[in-house]
Amino acid sequence: VSTSTPTPTQAPASSPTPTAISCSTTLQSRVNSASTGSTINVTGCTFHETVTINKALTIVGGTITGDNSRVYGVVVGASNVTLDGVTVTDTNNPLQDGAVRVRNASNFTFKNGTILRGDGACISIGGGSNHLVTNSELGYCGQEGFHTYGVSTITYSNNHIHHNNPNNAIDSEWEAGGGKVTNSSNVTFSGNEANDNKGPGLWCDINCTNVTFSNNNVYNNNKAGIMFEVSS
């Protein structure tokens, strides 16, 4: 008969408690204090502010509202910025400018997000290269869903672009509707749904080169579904 004491079974190590997301701190202060290249997760939070990003950064989740009193929701001035699952609403941005505004930066990504009710465009990207807008909703903006110029390589894929220029207040012979790209190369529109825009659905104009439209569902726009103009 053995007289040794059996070794007790160790209890499994407890899982670390996830860090709680605090919504009381402004998103801008989090951006300012974040390390370059880091990720800020603010899923479930709503911020009443304009957020300016001047470093490589990823923001996951969260809603940024302009409360119909601020010009921009997000302003990006640095390369390698990703907004993933971010919602931006109710801004007073000018025409040919976006509730989300990207200028002279490269490798910008907006994915799994929503932009609604900007006064001008939902999103505006000017300059830089290797941009991606994907799996997102761009809707009910006063002029157009997207405004893009002077970029090299940009893809709009699997987005729902709808009900922009809803009051038909902006002349679509100039620029209004689903959106417009100008003076850009290596542009891809793939798998988007563009509908019920007051103007063209998908539009590339003035020195657009190497442009591909594929597998888009474009309907109920009051001008051309796909407009390709003064380009090659």
Side-chain angles (χ1 to χ4, degrees):
V1 177
S2 172
T3 58
S4 62
T5 304
T7 304
T9 304
Q10 270 192 322
S14 59
S15 301
T17 303
T19 303
I21 296 172
S22 170
C23 299
S24 60
T25 306
T26 67
L27 184 51
Q28 186 65 64
S29 65
R30 290 181 178 221
V31 168
N32 293 345
S33 61
S35 301
T36 298
S38 62
T39 297
I40 302 171
N41 188 330
V42 288
T43 301
C45 297
T46 297
F47 301 97
H48 301 263
E49 58 184 309
T50 298
V51 179
T52 300
I53 304 173
N54 287 322
K55 66 180 79 170
L57 206 62
T58 296
I59 296 178
V60 177
T63 295
I64 300 165
T65 176
D67 295 309
N68 295 307
S69 63
R70 283 175 286 279
V71 178
Y72 301 113
V74 180
V75 176
V76 176
S79 296
N80 303 305
V81 170
T82 295
L83 304 180
D84 183 358
V86 174
T87 295
V88 179
T89 68
D90 301 309
T91 57
N92 294 336
N93 50 295
L95 301 181
Q96 295 184 304
D97 209 342
V100 173
R101 183 182 205 263
V102 183
R103 290 292 182 269
N104 302 314
S106 294
N107 304 311
F108 171 76
T109 297
F110 187 88
K111 62 182 181 179
N112 308 315
T114 301
I115 309 174
L116 301 173
R117 299 183 300 277
D119 278 356
C122 294
I123 189 168
S124 175
I125 302 173
S129 62
N130 298 314
H131 303 298
L132 174 64
V133 179
T134 186
N135 293 310
S136 294
E137 179 184 8
L138 310 175
Y140 297 100
C141 287
Q143 180 187 12
E144 56 193 339
F146 58 88
H147 165 258
T148 300
Y149 67 92
V151 305
S152 172
T153 310
I154 186 167
T155 297
Y156 285 95
S157 66
N158 303 313
N159 301 294
H160 189 195
I161 304 163
H162 65 97
H163 293 95
N164 294 292
N165 193 21
N167 299 321
N168 209 13
I170 310 302
D171 182 3
S172 59
E173 294 295 320
W174 170 57
E175 183 169 340
K180 186 176 182 179
V181 176
T182 61
N183 294 295
S184 297
S185 61
N186 306 310
V187 179
T188 300
F189 295 98
S190 177
N192 301 288
E193 182 174 8
N195 63 280
D196 295 283
N197 299 288
K198 298 297 175 61
L202 303 173
W203 189 358
C204 214
D205 182 23
I206 308 173
N207 297 322
C208 289
T209 59
N210 299 325
V211 180
T212 299
F213 297 87
S214 66
N215 299 310
N216 300 288
N217 188 15
V218 185
Y219 59 95
N220 288 350
N221 304 286
N222 74 348
K223 290 294 177 70
I226 293 175
M227 184 80 164
F228 191 71
E229 185 177 12
V230 197
S231 299
S232 62

